[in-house]
Amino acid sequence: MSKYKKNLPWFILSAFCFAAAAFFAFALIGYRVIALLIAGVGALILLYLFLPKKLRRILTVLIVLGALILCAAEIPIITAAKGTPEFAADYLIVLGCGINGSSPSLSMVNRLSAALDYLNTHPACIAVVSGGQGPGENMTEAACMANWLTANGIAPERIIEENRSTSTEENLTFSLALIPNADNARIAVCSSEYHLYRAGRIAQRLGVSVGGVPGRTNLPVLRLNYFIREGLGVLYYSVFGGI
């Protein structure tokens, strides 16, 4: 039996990985990290078939080391994702994310739903909705969030719009500037669960300790995609600065 016939199942598995990666990358929205991960598995299968044994061992060590580092980065992210539901805030900063024209994206709806529950539970809390206007957006993210909250029963006087920010750091910096006596106010941040750790670290660097209100990502595979992406992001910012 030739080497190629013997390894035919592995070639088929590798091709399946590339096909699945293409599906996640181009047929679905928001699954790019999962797509890259699956494509990487397909590439690794081919490498293991053709590399000499010594190089395969080195590659295995590198893969295990990388996986351990990523797992270590994920631990505080997963811990922070629980939020601090017992924290009673004076102000809730709701971090924006992409909108589709004038409609909130799925991630934004998840965040807004969590914010709505929190505001209804804490009727004295003021919401600071934070986000500017990006490409493909017909209004600022702040305006979109304010519209959604008022449509779901939150009084307009309980909402402050921060409409200039384009990043998490700007979200927090500009929002804190709108909060009277922010140094002494009790402040919570509402964002997607996977994002709370980084948001909390940035707030800490800005001199503010915040509570966390998690917007749960509904789709399990999408949630996994975002947690892996966030872990890679935390590693990047830990090395190059930013948190």
Side-chain angles (χ1 to χ4, degrees):
M1 182 183 294
S2 71
K3 180 180 179 180
Y4 289 103
K5 285 185 178 180
K6 180 181 177 181
N7 292 322
L8 182 59
W10 293 108
F11 286 118
I12 293 173
L13 180 59
S14 178
F16 175 79
C17 288
F18 289 124
F23 173 77
F24 277 102
F26 301 111
L28 301 176
I29 297 174
Y31 290 84
R32 290 296 175 90
V33 173
I34 290 290
L36 289 173
L37 186 63
I38 296 173
V41 172
L44 285 173
I45 290 171
L46 295 179
L47 283 174
Y48 272 97
L49 290 177
F50 292 104
L51 284 177
K53 183 179 290 187
K54 184 176 181 179
L55 291 180
R56 290 202 302 268
R57 289 174 179 171
I58 294 173
L59 182 59
T60 300
V61 171
L62 292 175
I63 291 170
V64 171
L65 182 61
L68 290 174
I69 292 172
L70 181 59
C71 288
E74 293 288 353
I75 291 172
I77 297 171
I78 294 170
T79 302
K82 301 173 184 176
T84 53
E86 74 287 348
F87 185 79
D90 302 314
Y91 293 88
L92 177 66
I93 300 174
V94 187
L95 301 184
C97 52
I99 60 177
N100 305 313
S102 302
S103 301
S105 63
L106 177 60
S107 290
M108 181 176 282
V109 171
N110 291 333
R111 296 181 186 189
L112 288 169
S113 297
L116 179 64
D117 289 343
Y118 189 88
L119 293 169
N120 285 332
T121 304
H122 302 85
C125 184
I126 302 297
V128 183
V129 289
S130 178
Q133 184 172 351
E137 298 178 343
N138 297 335
M139 60 171 59
T140 65
E141 294 169 7
C144 182
M145 289 189 286
N147 290 344
W148 192 96
L149 288 172
T150 53
N152 284 275
I154 301 300
E157 55 267 26
R158 292 183 65 193
I159 302 172
I160 299 171
E161 292 185 36
E162 182 290 298
N163 56 17
R164 296 185 296 138
S165 56
T166 59
S167 66
T168 301
E169 183 161 359
E170 288 185 353
N171 284 144
L172 293 169
T173 301
F174 298 159
S175 294
L176 291 170
L178 297 176
I179 296 175
N181 198 20
D183 291 340
N184 296 317
R186 292 174 299 177
I187 300 170
V189 171
C190 178
S191 189
S192 301
E193 74 276 74
Y194 57 82
H195 190 228
L196 285 180
Y197 171 70
R198 186 154 54 96
R201 286 286 302 273
I202 293 173
Q204 204 170 44
R205 186 159 51 80
L206 294 173
V208 180
S209 179
V210 297
V213 177
R216 303 295 180 189
T217 305
N218 293 331
L219 303 175
V221 179
L222 188 61
R223 187 186 311 133
L224 175 63
N225 179 90
Y226 285 141
F227 267 100
I228 295 173
R229 188 187 70 176
E230 192 68 16
L232 294 172
V234 165
L235 287 174
Y236 175 85
Y237 288 117
S238 296
V239 173
F240 296 102
I243 61 171

